[in-house]
Amino acid sequence: MEASMVSHIAICVRDVEKSLGFYRDILGMTVDFDQVQDTTSGGLPSIYKHSRRTRRTTHVRYGPGKTAPSLVLTCHPGEDPDGEPIKLDQVGISHISFTVPDVKALADELVSKGVELAAPLEGFTAPDGRVSSIFVYDPDGILVQFDDHG
């Protein structure tokens, strides 16, 4: 396999609008694409656990242009999703992570916007005061990590 990058990561959410309130409005990601698809034909029915009529896919991206990987938020309008977000010790994609220039500044900004940290800041703070990582939960309880770029 010759791959140049991860093109996207898709997460199923309960409500795209609530998720956009976090990923777009709080984190500042931009929406590239937003579409409702018919999921009753083609190959889609074979890769679903439950029969679904439609799927809304909303692609959000950090950074300019199409060079950064996108995060695809999916939901099924008018239908309830199945399952709960997993923790770090469970099988599956347990979290998504972004590298940022200043984790402490981002932590302060997120807290000021009402986002609760998922783990104490002190556990990721070096003796010199540098914060290496923070974790928060998105509106569906999916763990999102932010790491220092250094």
Side-chain angles (χ1 to χ4, degrees):
M1 175 178 95
E2 284 190 40
S4 59
M5 65 184 239
V6 172
S7 64
H8 70 274
I9 296 171
I11 57 175
C12 184
V13 300
R14 295 187 192 305
D15 182 331
V16 168
E17 293 306 321
K18 281 185 182 177
S19 293
L20 286 173
F22 177 74
Y23 291 101
R24 180 193 60 207
D25 302 341
I26 292 176
L27 296 184
M29 297 177 88
T30 56
V31 175
D32 271 359
F33 180 83
D34 194 345
Q35 167 185 302
V36 175
Q37 299 173 286
D38 175 1
T39 57
T40 61
S41 61
L44 285 175
S46 65
I47 55 177
Y48 271 83
K49 182 175 181 178
H50 304 287
S51 177
R52 304 288 183 177
R53 293 181 306 276
T54 60
R55 173 175 79 162
R56 179 178 175 188
T57 61
T58 305
H59 298 220
V60 294
R61 183 182 309 274
Y62 62 88
K66 303 271 188 200
T67 58
S70 62
L71 180 61
V72 178
L73 309 172
T74 68
C75 75
H76 301 89
E79 301 178 63
D80 291 329
D82 181 29
E84 295 297 322
I86 66 172
K87 298 293 184 185
L88 292 177
D89 59 343
Q90 293 178 294
V91 174
I93 297 174
S94 63
H95 66 288
I96 55 176
S97 182
F98 299 96
T99 301
V100 297
D102 188 338
V103 175
K104 174 69 169 95
L106 179 61
D108 293 342
E109 178 185 342
L110 293 176
V111 168
S112 76
K113 292 179 176 180
V115 177
E116 187 176 329
L117 299 179
L121 195 63
E122 296 77 29
F124 301 95
T125 303
D128 66 0
R130 187 181 67 81
V131 177
S132 61
S133 298
I134 60 169
F135 292 85
V136 301
Y137 290 107
D138 81 353
D140 287 291
I142 296 168
L143 195 58
V144 181
Q145 178 179 354
F146 300 93
D147 294 312
D148 181 65
H149 78 318

